[in-house]
Amino acid sequence: MGGYLARRLAASAVTAFVASIAVFLIVRAVPGDVVAQMLGQVSDPQAAASLRGFLGLDQPVWIQYGRWISAVFSGDLGTSWTGGRPVGPAVFDAFLVTLEIGLLTLALATIVGVPLGIVSGIYEGRWPDNLIQIFNLLGLAAPVFWTGLMLLVAVSSFAGWSPPLIYASPAESLWDNLSILMLPILSLGLLQAAAYSQFVRQNVVTSLNQDYVRTARAKGVTIRILFFTHILKNILIPLITFMGLVLVQILGGVVIVETLFSIPGLGRLLISAIETRDYPMLQGALLVVVVTAMAVNLIIDLLYSVIDPRVRLS
Amino acid sequence: MSVGVQPSHPRRRRWRGAAQALAAAIALTIAALPARAATADLYGPKAADAVKGGTLTFGSLVEPPGLDPYHQAADGRIRFTVLMYQGLFYESETGQAVPLLATGYEVSPDGLVYTIKLRDGVKFHTGQPMTAKDVAYSYNYLRDPKNGSPGAGDLTLIQSIDAIDDATVRITLSKPNGALPMTLGNKYGGVVPAGYFDAADAKQAFNTKSVGTGPFKLAEFKPNSHLALVKNDAYWEAGAPYLDRINILFIPNSASMIVALRNKRVDLALLTRPQDIQQVVKAPGLVMERWPSLNQKALDLGSELSPLGDPRVRQAIALSIDKDEIMRAAVGGYGKVIGTMVPAMQDAWGAPLDQLANQKVDIEKAKKLLADAGHSDLKLTLTTINGYDWMDPAAVTMKQQLAKAGIDLNIQRVDLGVWIKNFQSKQMGFTFNDWATQPDPHLLYYRHFHKAPEGADFRNWNNAEASALLDKGLGETDQAKRKAIYVDFQKILAESVPTVMLFSADHVSVRNENVMNYTQHPTGWFFGLARAYIKK
């Protein structure tokens, strides 16, 4: 286990390094001249040249990268070009907000999606299954921005309420925090719950058709006992794998809900950094996204061995 | 004025279209005095019965990238920092520079030396009194190219700025510049305490603490969330401002903005898309108002692109375009067709529309000009910019209009970054443009239309006669003479067509009916918040 972990961490470091080069180059591949954009339409060529020098953009790309990555290794993600604030703390604050949305969405999706999928699988082809399938279809077909917008408009028109617009952290006010995050989590969570439900249903149906299940049923084991002692254990591994995928998908979805609901998370930070071509901020935020995705994968892999002793991490 | 609610306040009727000259004349006899007096007021009209106190929640679709008035060029920054930082002059709504931190000035007979008297009793947000030393320091910092301010380019004619005594500064120019007072306005810089930039973190500190002289102080700035301003209790103007606090919420999505307005989470916001405006026009408790702007939506014709180098082709294009139809398609009627001047400055600086060439549709003449130029079956590609909503319907409408003159229009969309690069390298070709100005004709025209190297001449117009007039206008300080020069310039602009100024979109504000006395400045900057109050 210890050796496995060390090897995985080393491999992750290499991946992160390669990813950092990709992130650095992708950011620079966004069309448009950052200096022109910062100075506006009628900028003075002299001012543009001096700003280019100040930002280090007059240096070759590999030197720019070297400077950036060596600063990253010493724990400094740089300073935002547009706002002048340090990137590290800004990305960290935004990350915490997004993490909260991600985990709560995952919890909602799991709590709603897994039971629905199990019921649907057990009652395959009968009315509870049909009803749940309709929910799944709607959840999967509706894009997040549409669900979010509809929820916002519906709540606003029928209840005359809309979420507060100044973000409050759970430490500042748990109530405000939850009322701000409720609609975004619902709109993201419904989609993921549908995906979950569909996935679990498929696994339950497959398990129910396995030989060992048929044998057990023939010997008189009730479906309830069979389900909790055998089937659930067997679908746990794919379920955990799926959970990792969902979490990474949520990281993508927050870009939309955070913009829609004015939440200062990583998604919104990324969007505004792209719009203003704020390279240091964009690089920092993307790097955090990449590292988070890798960390999620690593944790999932480690969980396998906890759940299923047959999986040897070596 | 075609769609939506009619303006309710006399000042908001200041549209200067020829068709409304009569209405304006009547208004002048009935309500001109208060309206005229109001325009001379700093920041908007004062309210005698204003309620003091309270918090106003302002919704902004645009977010300032930072609050540094010296180095941050984004318009999203300027809109808010004008409430915290002040220059020597205020950009009046009609296009005059009105003394702000100055009280008045004298110009030497050769037009080279400006002696400016400063307002007494002005204190910085830090508590220390403002003196001429601070003024000289601030503008010297701003104009020094080493300091990297995008505002430095406007001040290159300044040779020196000196403090004569505590209440007087002297500005010496290398060449006369009639637009000098306007460049000492509120767009860049603003007076800060002398030595402010000595601190290593000075630029960043603008985001946490304000050090200006304006009516509001910075309370908190949280990027991607909100900006909070509080009343400056030591503000030099007695009784102002009225509000205790302004919470500015950054709401990047207009659907959320509309919901927030309807649910009274937001008291006041500016909307830009006609479809959004129409959603709140009839909402109970909300009031929509329209204001003239300094913005122009234009069609640019870069002479580097064959055959646009031929003036006959450019004239033919101008003669094929029905600006009013394009305006209605593009902004649902929430705008004003223009000739060669933006609406807010039309009165003070604009040439009368009936004196300008190529303003009315004349397809036969257009066809003849194209035939004479040997381009009867002309094919052109129009560039539009991603994210500028008005350009798509405008492009489609224009395609139909140009087809009547036998011009086949192809439309291509590009990203803003790509467009700016083309624009600055003077390869703009045939494109829509969307830009605004400070309210002075020199600042509006010179850089865009003066031939290189003095101007940037983005459209490769290279017109010597027009450039000579722009030089003459720059050197003139007398208002009436200046106007005559710029009217002559505009006639050439309309005749030779390096650009077709199509229309100007109104600023459209939507407010809770309890928000009183808010006026929208034509720049789009939020000066008016210093005069707004909340009715109890």
Side-chain angles (χ1 to χ4, degrees), chain A residues 31-32 36-38 40-44 82-86 149 156 160-166 259-260 262 264 268-269 272, chain B residues 65 72-73 204 207 223-224 226 249-253 255-256 259-260 263 265 415 417-420 424 433 435 447-448 458:
Chain A
Q37 195 131 328
M38 284 171 86
Q41 225 180 69
V42 287
S43 70
D44 182 46
T82 53
R85 60 194 172 128
L149 210 58
S156 146
W161 181 87
S162 62
L165 289 160
I166 295 187
T259 308
L260 188 61
S262 314
R268 196 166 162 201
L269 187 82
S272 64
Chain B
Q72 181 51 254
Q204 215 170 311
N207 293 329
N224 292 325
H226 66 277
L249 312 185
F250 310 130
I251 305 173
N253 177 284
S256 311
V259 168
N263 285 318
R265 290 267 186 205
D415 268 340
V418 175
W419 185 89
I420 289 184
Q424 293 198 329
N433 196 346
W435 58 295
R447 196 160 162 67
H448 271 261
F458 297 109

Side-chain angles (χ1 to χ4, degrees), chain B residues 337-374:
Chain B
V337 164
I338 55 177
T340 48
M341 179 54 78
V342 287
M345 289 163 67
Q346 176 65 31
D347 239 22
W349 300 105
L353 285 176
D354 54 7
Q355 291 180 22
L356 296 172
N358 305 319
Q359 300 300 308
K360 287 205 182 101
V361 179
D362 189 341
I363 299 293
E364 289 315 309
K365 194 173 168 194
K367 279 183 176 167
K368 189 175 176 305
L369 282 165
L370 286 173
D372 291 350

